Amino acid sequence: MDRESVNFYSAGHKLQGYFYMPKNPKGKVPGLVICHGFSAMIETITAGVPEALSDAGYAVLLYYSRGVGESEGPRGRVIPMEQVDDIRNALTYMQCRDEVDPNRVALYGSAFGCSTGVVAAAMDKRVKCFVGNVGMGDCERWLKSERSRWDWIAFLKRLEADRRQRVLTGKSEIVQPNEIHIPDRVAAKARDQKWEEFRKKSGYDGYPLETAEALIEFKPELVIDRISPRPLMLIAMEFDVTSDVEETRSMFEKAHEPKKLVIMEGAVHYDAFKFTNPVVFEKIMKETIDFYHEHLPL
């Protein structure tokens, strides 16, 4: 497996990515684009994913969306539909690679990347199949579930005030990600150990409150049925309280065949990632690779 630092453009922004090729490929190979999560910490949250998929015989592209990590764009700007656009441009870049069969490309998305990946796959028929892990079907329902009723009302008023400020000044209030999405304490501790280091390296102070307003309007489960007749697999952790297992079930119920649901028994949200639970991670990768081998054969 070889890793190459690459760049491509989306909406005029140069995006930083990493391209992985399997060893000893026999001709052109299928390509997989990885959609990263809300924190965009690809070196931590998606650690092991491109390596596993590349070792399984696929070309893999992992990248930072506009505005986050090492990519260009307004610093810390996280807008779901803009990230969907980045995913589709990443697919185009993958198709431009001489090593890749342009007619055999697919997506893998984890956490928020599952949600953006669902929408990208629903919109873009080039995606031959989709695997999503611990995603959210309705981001308004997701954010609301993390707050008490009165906190939710106060949050909406804060967003309304920020909307007015953006119109009058062109600027949105910058907040820490945990002020938008409030993870459970275990998940927050796991993420925050790396967040400060990542934030300073990336050159931004946090995310604009505009992100929260865009999230409220983002509901992947309303379009997930459009992925059919292309194959879909969703993976969830049984005791996930960061992206509740019911979010995955809701998406799965609304999806059409062919589809598969995998629940990792006894697991919580951050068990899905190698840096916190390599045992569960290996199970997820086995399910994922078996699915791709069936529906995106080498």
Side-chain angles (χ1 to χ4, degrees), residues 4-140:
E4 174 189 352
S5 179
V6 299
N7 297 114
F8 62 96
Y9 288 86
S10 184
H13 304 297
K14 181 188 286 188
L15 305 191
Q16 173 64 42
Y18 301 95
F19 182 77
Y20 298 73
M21 270 296 291
K23 291 182 179 179
N24 305 315
K26 297 178 181 179
K28 291 181 180 288
V29 298
L32 300 174
V33 172
I34 298 176
C35 314
H36 66 65
F38 188 65
S39 69
M41 294 189 292
I42 65 174
E43 300 287 353
T44 301
I45 303 299
T46 59
V49 176
E51 293 85 356
L53 298 178
S54 180
D55 287 345
Y58 296 93
V60 182
L61 177 63
L62 174 65
Y63 69 97
Y64 293 104
S65 293
R66 71 185 79 172
V68 297
E70 298 171 15
S71 289
E72 292 181 352
R75 305 316 298 154
R77 180 177 170 87
V78 175
I79 304 297
M81 288 306 299
E82 291 179 359
Q83 293 199 354
V84 169
D85 189 40
D86 293 343
I87 293 168
R88 300 183 70 185
N89 289 319
L91 284 167
T92 300
Y93 173 79
M94 181 67 87
Q95 290 181 311
C96 291
R97 297 286 308 207
D98 291 338
E99 308 94 327
V100 175
D101 182 343
N103 296 312
R104 291 188 294 159
V105 293
L107 298 177
Y108 174 89
S110 189
F112 185 56
C114 171
S115 302
T116 53
V118 162
V119 175
M123 294 174 65
D124 201 319
K125 302 303 182 185
R126 293 176 297 171
V127 179
K128 299 304 180 186
C129 59
F130 178 74
V131 176
N133 184 26
V134 295
M136 295 74 69
D138 181 322
C139 289
E140 179 179 17

Side-chain angles (χ1 to χ4, degrees), residues 81-233:
M81 288 306 299
E82 291 179 359
Q83 293 199 354
V84 169
D85 189 40
D86 293 343
I87 293 168
R88 300 183 70 185
N89 289 319
L91 284 167
T92 300
Y93 173 79
M94 181 67 87
Q95 290 181 311
C96 291
R97 297 286 308 207
D98 291 338
E99 308 94 327
V100 175
D101 182 343
N103 296 312
R104 291 188 294 159
V105 293
L107 298 177
Y108 174 89
S110 189
F112 185 56
C114 171
S115 302
T116 53
V118 162
V119 175
M123 294 174 65
D124 201 319
K125 302 303 182 185
R126 293 176 297 171
V127 179
K128 299 304 180 186
C129 59
F130 178 74
V131 176
N133 184 26
V134 295
M136 295 74 69
D138 181 322
C139 289
E140 179 179 17
R141 183 175 61 214
W142 171 55
L143 295 182
K144 189 175 183 179
S145 72
E146 298 174 338
R147 294 165 168 84
S148 66
R149 185 162 58 99
W150 45 89
D151 284 338
W152 178 248
I153 292 171
F155 186 61
L156 293 180
K157 289 181 178 179
R158 188 178 179 188
L159 297 188
E160 181 180 359
D162 189 73
R163 187 184 314 119
R164 292 169 179 262
Q165 175 178 294
R166 294 198 307 273
V167 168
L168 295 175
T169 69
K171 296 180 180 180
S172 179
E173 180 184 355
I174 302 300
V175 300
Q176 294 303 299
N178 288 356
E179 292 185 61
I180 297 174
H181 152 48
I182 308 172
D184 68 278
R185 292 180 181 178
V186 174
K189 182 178 180 181
R191 187 176 72 184
D192 291 351
Q193 287 175 346
K194 299 290 185 178
W195 168 252
E196 275 303 307
E197 177 184 341
F198 175 74
R199 180 188 65 79
K200 291 176 181 178
K201 178 181 176 182
S202 302
Y204 47 79
D205 294 326
Y207 293 169
L209 267 182
E210 184 180 2
T211 291
E213 187 170 26
L215 281 170
I216 286 172
E217 297 170 355
F218 194 62
K219 304 176 189 294
E221 68 181 28
L222 297 183
V223 298
I224 196 170
D225 61 307
R226 299 181 191 176
I227 296 177
S228 177
R230 293 163 292 150
L232 163 75
M233 181 168 75

